[in-house]
């Protein structure tokens, strides 16, 4: 599925008119700052305008795990992540970033001015939510793999497909190796050791973020 954005098929002029109806709040965050802590309601939707951020979930014992990465144009908020009970969810800035917050009710309820492209925006939001569901399902299926090797290969096979790379073609992943270890919920040193083993066994070749699957 082609990645969708909330402004797809909406003209700049129409977007500027709709923004007046949404009563947005713009905020800037520094690396490490908390952008949003999920509560029990669906009051706000956040849109990352620049920079990068991450969604972490925190278990009752205090263990923290990465759930999602956000970049320019991505939506975040409880309406799109479906948090589970007994976990805390926190969106944290990875770099200096700027975000805009809009009340959920303004997005899903047509405004009094009956903006021509409001229905298109709602359609975009539903498609983006569907994509997020797919991405979360993929992440969970990778995390459920029993070994570091199987987690790596599952992720790399998906990345090869996502990059439209053919057999014997190199492709580039969107993470640093440190971020990849965090995404896979494994120790970085153990992951690097497994990458070396996969190379030795003839399964792949790699150079930093570039990979080639051989088998």
């Amino acid at each position: 599925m082609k990645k969708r954005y909330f402004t797809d098929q909406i003209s700049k002029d129409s977007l500027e008119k709709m923004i007046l109806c949404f009563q947005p709040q713009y905020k800037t965050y520094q690396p490490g700052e908390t952008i949003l802590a999920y509560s029990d309601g669906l009051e706000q939707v956040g849109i990352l305008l620049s920079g990068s951020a991450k969604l972490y979930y925190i278990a009752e014992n205090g263990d923290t795990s990465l759930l999602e990465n956000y970049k320019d144009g991505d939506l975040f908020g409880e309406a799109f992540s479906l948090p589970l009970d007994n976990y805390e969810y926190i969106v944290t800035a990875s770099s200096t970033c700027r975000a805009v917050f809009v009340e959920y009710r303004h997005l899903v309820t047509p405004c009094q001015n009956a903006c021509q492209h409001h229905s298109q925006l709602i359609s975009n939001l539903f498609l983006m939510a569907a994509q997020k569901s797919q991405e979360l399902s993929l992440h969970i299926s990778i995390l459920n793999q029993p070994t570091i090797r199987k987690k790596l290969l599952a992720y790399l096979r998906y990345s090869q497909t996502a990059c439209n790379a053919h057999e014997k073609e190199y492709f580039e992943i969107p993470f640093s190796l440190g971020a990849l270890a965090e995404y896979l919920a494994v120790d970085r040193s153990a992951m690097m050791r497994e990458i070396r083993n996969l190379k030795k066994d003839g399964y792949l070749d790699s150079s930093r973020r570039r990979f080639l699957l051989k088998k």
Side-chain angles (χ1 to χ4, degrees):
M1 183 185 294
K2 179 183 177 182
K3 187 171 179 62
R4 296 297 295 260
Y5 295 93
F6 73 103
T7 55
D8 283 355
Q9 300 182 46
I10 300 176
S11 67
K12 183 178 179 180
D13 181 61
S14 294
L15 185 62
E16 289 175 351
K17 291 178 180 178
M18 285 192 294
I19 286 295
L20 297 177
C21 302
F22 297 156
Q23 301 174 18
Q25 296 181 345
Y26 295 89
K27 296 182 181 180
T28 300
Y29 299 89
Q30 299 304 315
E33 281 193 277
T34 296
I35 297 175
L36 183 65
Y38 289 5
S39 60
D40 294 328
L42 301 176
E43 295 181 359
Q44 286 187 321
V45 171
I47 303 168
L48 197 64
L49 300 176
S50 63
S52 59
K54 297 180 179 182
L55 171 63
Y56 291 98
Y57 66 96
I58 306 171
E60 289 182 306
N61 62 3
D63 289 343
T64 301
S65 299
L66 174 68
L67 190 59
E68 286 190 272
N69 289 283
Y70 299 125
K71 55 185 179 181
D72 296 6
D74 280 344
L75 292 172
F76 57 90
E78 290 169 272
F80 303 99
S81 296
L82 303 176
L84 302 175
D85 293 337
N86 302 321
Y87 286 87
E88 292 183 46
Y89 293 79
I90 298 177
V91 179
T92 303
S94 304
S95 64
T96 300
C97 56
R98 188 164 178 259
V100 58
F101 293 90
V102 179
E103 289 189 24
Y104 181 74
R105 61 185 177 89
H106 287 319
L107 290 176
V108 298
T109 304
C111 61
Q112 294 180 349
N113 296 328
C115 299
Q116 180 180 356
H117 287 90
H118 202 131
S119 59
Q120 179 63 52
L121 183 140
I122 293 174
S123 175
N124 292 345
L125 292 177
F126 277 117
L127 289 172
M128 292 174 74
Q131 288 179 330
K132 282 188 172 293
S133 177
Q134 291 178 340
E135 291 167 1
L136 286 172
S137 295
L138 168 70
H139 194 182
I140 291 170
S141 69
I142 291 173
L143 293 178
N144 283 336
Q145 297 298 315
T147 65
I148 295 176
R149 173 174 288 215
K150 289 187 176 182
K151 288 181 180 183
L152 269 168
L153 290 175
Y155 173 74
L156 292 175
R157 289 189 187 107
Y158 162 76
S159 297
Q160 182 184 46
T161 301
C163 293
N164 295 316
H166 299 292
E167 187 179 358
K168 297 183 180 180
E169 283 187 354
Y170 281 88
F171 56 91
E172 187 169 327
I173 65 173
F175 299 133
S176 66
L177 293 179
L180 176 59
E182 186 179 30
Y183 178 82
L184 299 178
V186 298
D187 177 76
R188 187 181 187 278
S189 297
M191 184 192 75
M192 295 303 296
R193 186 162 55 249
E194 192 57 58
I195 288 176
R196 289 194 294 270
N197 289 337
L198 284 167
K199 287 182 177 181
K200 182 180 178 181
D201 294 341
Y203 282 95
L204 63 82
D205 189 20
S206 70
S207 176
R208 297 185 180 180
R209 297 187 182 192
R210 298 184 72 242
F211 288 86
L212 169 66
L213 290 175
K214 293 183 175 181
K215 294 185 180 180

